[in-house]
Amino acid sequence: MQRFVAVVTLLALLSVGTESLPDAGPRITGGTQTLLGQYPSAVIIETPYIVQNCMGTVVNRQHVLTAASCVMNPTTFVLINPFWLRVIAGDINIVPVSHRREVRNVIRSYVHPNYNRLTDGNNLAVLRLDVPYPEFHNTIEPALFNTRILADNTQCQFAGWGAAANQDTAVVRTSQFVITQPILTTASCNAANVHNNRVQQTMICAGQLAAGQNAACRGNMGGGLYCNGRLTGVLAFGLGCGVANQPAVYMDVRQYTQWIETQFTRTDNPPPGWTPPQPL
């Protein structure tokens, strides 16, 4: 708790120190500040292992969808104890705190059994919360899943609290912003100078190939891509922070709906230290 308070205080001070200056310049993640209730399924996932934390999406009253990489130790590559995770929902600001905010602890982490940290294949996890959310209202609501194959250049949205630069010490913006992320062709994203055939058939590439200000950055991992108002992707890699040829890549939720929903009724408790299978 002391660490959380210190981090929030630091963020507030740094935010005031930069954004109040007329010559501070645009943030590299760009976007437009959201309104309360605009993306009621988007949440922050606090973890002591990632400085800028992660994001997730409310999918029912007691479960949140995120990236597997958000619940794995980045140094030892094993499942971390869910005790160390907290989920913040119902708010669009890190500070100040809204009276609508609901904070939950995580009691189960269900990582896709075929998650591959080397390729980011199947980079998904479902988190079970200790206390279900109350009856849904306009600031906390579950996302609806996209069920259709979407055409290239479909204009989608990503809402998050990303950092301003791709650095370990980068400060996360205290307010939620939304950016437009058009779906890109898989071929263009798999070009040798882009993601070099890393984008699989179970993934969606979205954003832009040219350098620009509207891009996913640190602190956005595990966040949701919304197309036509429905959850379409979970951010798996490609946190280019606006650098050319580094568009974001998302797990295609449409292809994982059955697996996601199956996790809601699981009764086992994967132990901390679990390691997913890796190819030789």
Side-chain angles (χ1 to χ4, degrees):
M1 180 59 69
Q2 291 178 341
R3 170 185 175 275
F4 172 69
V5 172
V7 170
V8 168
T9 302
L10 177 61
L11 289 175
L13 292 173
L14 291 176
S15 176
V16 171
T18 58
E19 294 187 3
S20 61
L21 298 176
D23 58 347
R27 298 283 189 167
I28 195 168
T29 44
T32 304
Q33 193 166 346
T34 63
L35 301 175
L36 192 63
Q38 189 173 355
Y39 291 91
S41 59
V43 301
I44 298 171
I45 300 175
E46 290 185 331
T47 167
Y49 295 95
I50 300 176
V51 176
Q52 289 83 10
N53 292 320
C54 274
M55 285 183 53
T57 304
V58 176
V59 289
N60 69 16
R61 288 185 60 195
Q62 200 172 2
H63 293 91
V64 167
L65 179 65
T66 188
S69 52
C70 288
V71 299
M72 305 297 290
N73 188 304
T75 302
T76 61
F77 311 114
V78 300
L79 183 68
I80 65 175
N81 192 328
F83 169 82
W84 297 109
L85 304 175
R86 290 204 322 164
V87 176
I88 298 175
D91 212 340
I92 56 174
N93 297 317
I94 297 177
V95 288
V97 176
S98 164
H99 71 280
R100 293 281 190 145
R101 176 175 295 191
E102 297 277 351
V103 180
R104 297 290 187 271
N105 295 319
V106 177
I107 57 174
R108 299 284 190 278
S109 295
Y110 295 121
V111 174
H112 194 285
N114 295 320
Y115 166 57
N116 188 323
R117 67 177 177 82
L118 303 179
T119 65
D120 280 304
N122 306 303
N123 191 354
L124 288 174
V126 173
L127 309 183
R128 183 171 297 163
L129 309 180
D130 59 342
V131 179
Y133 291 120
E135 291 300 321
F136 291 121
H137 46 74
N138 65 337
T139 58
I140 303 178
E141 292 182 2
L144 299 176
F145 292 163
N146 171 60
T147 59
R148 299 181 178 181
I149 298 176
L150 300 177
D152 296 331
N153 203 40
T154 297
Q155 302 298 298
C156 304
Q157 290 74 42
F158 183 90
W161 297 263
N166 190 13
Q167 301 170 350
D168 289 340
T169 56
V171 176
V172 174
R173 290 190 289 183
T174 58
S175 298
Q176 185 188 68
F177 282 72
V178 59
I179 56 176
T180 298
Q181 298 283 273
I183 292 180
L184 303 173
T185 66
T186 301
S188 65
C189 288
N190 272 333
N193 65 329
V194 186
H195 288 307
N196 195 23
N197 292 320
R198 190 178 171 189
V199 182
Q200 303 172 14
Q201 292 182 346
T202 54
M203 300 174 178
I204 296 173
C205 187
Q208 55 189 17
L209 297 179
Q213 296 176 1
N214 295 323
C217 197
R218 287 175 178 255
N220 291 150
M221 185 66 72
L225 179 72
Y226 298 83
C227 304
N228 300 320
R230 290 176 174 262
L231 180 65
T232 302
V234 172
L235 186 57
F237 66 90
L239 302 180
C241 302
V243 175
N245 296 322
Q246 286 297 312
V249 180
Y250 304 81
M251 301 309 305
D252 186 357
V253 170
R254 178 183 61 85
Q255 301 188 54
Y256 289 93
T257 300
Q258 183 177 2
W259 178 81
I260 294 169
E261 294 178 343
T262 299
Q263 310 315 299
F264 300 162
T265 55
R266 282 180 62 172
T267 58
D268 60 309
N269 185 11
W274 172 82
T275 304
Q278 299 290 340
L280 297 178

